[in-house]
Amino acid sequence: RINRTVLGQGATYAVQMRKEFAKAAENSISFGGTLDDVANTFASISKSLQANTQLTNQQLTSFVAIEKAAGVTAEEMGTIVEAFDTIGYGTDQTIESLEKMSQTARSYGLNVGTFLNTVGKNLKLVNAYNFKDGVEGFTRMVARSQALRLDMTSVQKLAGDLLNPEKAVELAAEFQNLGGAVGALGDPFQLMNMAQNDMEGLQNAIVDAAKSSVMFNEKTGKFQISATEMRRLRAQADALGISYEDLADTAVKAAKEQKALDQLRFTNITDEQKQLIANMADMNKDGKLVLKLPEFEGTVDEFL
């Protein structure tokens, strides 16, 4: 199997890689990795990069460990590594970034495998658009889009359109006419700036405008959108080129997130812990955050 994997690379290269495979397989036993996992990962990365690839046993071990922890396949890892290669990241830098990104996903309470695959599909945006804080800002954008179920493709398309000043002026005018808490979406200069330099900020502006349409009904204990706000939100969705149903879902999730974070504002926990609780907890009929964990079920103030 290993001979097939390194076929055509030369005898010396093949001998060296067999040694690296064997050591990586030995290192991977503790977290359920096998020699096949190592070989498949190497083959997938080499195929995706379309080049002779020299990976050390430590690097191979790290890639397999990330796959096992996140639940991604070797083929998916190859796609992810290729995406990092397009933005100029070497192997060690890619591994470090994947570990940080996985931690970010966990801090949001997200499925890490889905998150990393979304990263792999969209990371090339870093070359085409500017993100505040670079890859870190891109990572936050992916995490928030997944947490709130907002399709990044819609935001990307909008950013491309807003590079045209006429489109930015037109969209800002539409939002000004709609009224409500439209924020930066009502300013054509801010729209153009976000499209060019801060796509994460553009996504946040969309979320902030949408969530302002949602209220918490104290009687029913549920988040809801009134008939008037439904019409306004539908018009926003049309202007943004986003499905109304998707934007309404995002709006409700964002409103729930905001109410949760407000309740956690003065607690003595980190911002990451607040975000994790906000995404994991439910609201009871009194608007209190409720956690359901294996060894605990009750309101968050009781848990903390």
Side-chain angles (χ1 to χ4, degrees):
R1 169 62 183 274
I2 296 176
N3 283 333
R4 292 200 304 272
T5 303
V6 298
L7 184 63
Q9 304 300 327
T12 302
Y13 178 86
V15 169
Q16 179 59 37
M17 288 312 304
R18 279 199 293 268
K19 291 178 181 178
E20 298 296 337
F21 284 6
K23 185 61 177 176
E26 181 182 343
N27 295 339
S28 303
I29 291 174
S30 62
F31 50 81
T34 66
L35 181 59
D36 273 354
D37 291 326
V38 173
N40 287 336
T41 298
F42 174 82
S44 180
I45 292 174
S46 297
K47 181 179 179 180
S48 294
L49 295 180
Q50 301 182 42
N52 294 342
T53 307
Q54 184 77 40
L55 297 175
T56 67
N57 69 80
Q58 294 94 337
Q59 291 169 338
L60 286 166
T61 301
S62 294
F63 281 127
V64 174
I66 293 169
E67 290 170 10
K68 293 296 182 182
V72 300
T73 66
E75 289 73 20
E76 289 168 338
M77 181 58 74
T79 299
I80 294 167
V81 171
E82 190 270 337
F84 276 97
D85 181 69
T86 64
I87 64 169
Y89 276 32
T91 302
D92 288 335
Q93 194 176 7
T94 295
I95 291 170
E96 181 181 356
S97 293
L98 285 174
E99 290 171 345
K100 288 181 179 178
M101 286 179 170
S102 297
Q103 182 56 44
T104 297
R106 293 187 185 98
S107 73
Y108 274 78
L110 304 176
N111 179 288
V112 181
T114 300
F115 176 83
L116 291 183
N117 278 318
T118 303
V119 166
K121 293 174 183 177
N122 293 280
L123 189 58
K124 295 177 184 179
L125 290 176
V126 173
N127 285 336
Y129 297 89
N130 290 325
F131 287 82
K132 186 179 179 181
D133 301 326
V135 173
E136 185 179 339
F138 168 80
T139 301
R140 290 194 303 265
M141 181 178 177
V142 174
R144 195 132 199 260
S145 70
Q146 184 174 331
L148 300 179
R149 298 184 189 175
L150 179 61
D151 185 6
M152 280 187 61
T153 304
S154 300
V155 182
Q156 174 194 350
K157 182 179 183 305
L158 179 64
D161 291 341
L162 291 175
L163 294 176
N164 181 338
E166 291 183 4
K167 177 62 177 178
V169 171
E170 178 185 327
L171 182 63
E174 286 190 59
F175 270 86
Q176 290 170 11
N177 289 333
L178 289 174
V182 298
L185 298 182
D187 185 332
F189 298 104
Q190 287 196 59
L191 285 174
M192 285 186 288
N193 180 62
M194 289 187 296
Q196 293 174 332
N197 301 309
D198 187 12
M199 193 186 292
E200 178 194 7
L202 179 60
Q203 176 176 275
N204 288 340
I206 293 170
V207 170
D208 289 343
K211 76 180 179 184
S212 68
S213 299
V214 182
M215 62 168 288
F216 182 75
N217 189 316
E218 302 287 347
K219 292 183 178 180
T220 64
K222 295 181 179 180
F223 291 91
Q224 63 183 45
I225 305 173
S226 69
T228 299
E229 291 299 332
M230 279 185 185
R231 289 192 290 272
R232 192 200 309 273
L233 190 61
R234 189 178 294 277
Q236 288 183 8
D238 288 342
L240 293 168
I242 298 175
S243 157
Y244 166 71
E245 290 75 14
D246 290 344
L247 190 60
D249 186 36
T250 294
V252 171
K253 291 184 183 305
K256 176 198 165 189
E257 176 193 65
Q258 186 61 59
K259 188 171 180 65
L261 291 173
D262 287 344
Q263 291 187 30
L264 297 168
R265 181 176 300 170
F266 300 110
T267 56
N268 189 28
I269 58 176
T270 67
D271 289 342
E272 281 192 353
Q273 290 169 330
K274 289 177 184 177
Q275 188 67 62
L276 179 60
I277 292 173
N279 288 339
M280 290 180 60
D282 291 321
M283 293 277 178
N284 65 16
K285 63 180 181 179
D286 298 319
K288 295 276 190 181
L289 281 175
V290 176
L291 275 176
K292 294 182 180 180
L293 302 174
E295 298 180 359
F296 175 84
E297 181 173 344
T299 60
V300 169
D301 54 358
E302 294 172 334
F303 176 75
L304 299 175

